[in-house]
Amino acid sequence: MGTPSAIDVLKDKIFGTGIDIDSMRDAIRTALQAGLWIVEFTKVSGEQAAMTCTLDDKYIPEDQRDFSVSGSVNGLVKSGDVLRVYSTDRGGWRSFKIANVQKWYAAPLDT
């Protein structure tokens, strides 16, 4: 067996519980397609951030719904390790690296 890839090392470092990045991405994407969620993550700069976001058309302004032309389909950016979402608190499309997600939870109904 050869040297583990960088992504394998990253998976082990972040998801020592046995949850892999693909499963995490699928779980987050599925949740976002069904409502508003708060995602806490580490920005590339190292700064901690929290964002209320969704992939549910119910919470996305009609003129913002067609985002496939910008390189993503159903929230996935071409690389697959980044999730593109509609940020309701920032009023636009944003993205975060799956590997940098600390936690995600349902947003309060008044958000």
Side-chain angles (χ1 to χ4, degrees):
M1 192 167 168
T3 305
S5 70
I7 195 71
D8 289 333
V9 172
L10 184 62
K11 284 180 183 180
D12 286 342
K13 182 178 179 185
I14 295 175
F15 304 113
T17 60
I19 299 172
D20 61 70
I21 289 176
D22 294 334
S23 297
M24 179 90 133
R25 179 193 62 232
D26 292 345
I28 294 171
R29 186 176 61 212
T30 299
L32 290 169
Q33 289 170 333
L36 284 174
W37 290 77
I38 297 172
V39 178
E40 294 184 13
F41 59 98
T42 305
K43 292 182 176 183
V44 175
S45 67
E47 180 183 351
Q48 298 298 307
M51 175 171 49
T52 303
C53 53
T54 189
L55 289 172
D56 186 342
D57 280 347
K58 183 166 114 178
Y59 300 102
I60 302 171
E62 194 170 324
D63 65 340
Q64 295 286 318
R65 291 184 188 160
D66 183 22
F67 61 94
S68 60
V69 294
S70 59
S72 68
V73 176
N74 287 331
L76 287 181
V77 176
K78 290 178 184 176
S79 68
D81 65 342
V82 174
L83 193 60
R84 185 174 162 99
V85 298
Y86 186 80
S87 171
T88 58
D89 50 354
R90 292 177 177 92
W93 291 97
R94 302 289 187 267
S95 60
F96 53 83
K97 289 186 175 188
I98 299 298
N100 291 352
V101 172
Q102 304 301 312
K103 61 183 171 178
W104 73 96
Y105 46 93
L109 294 177
D110 63 339
T111 300

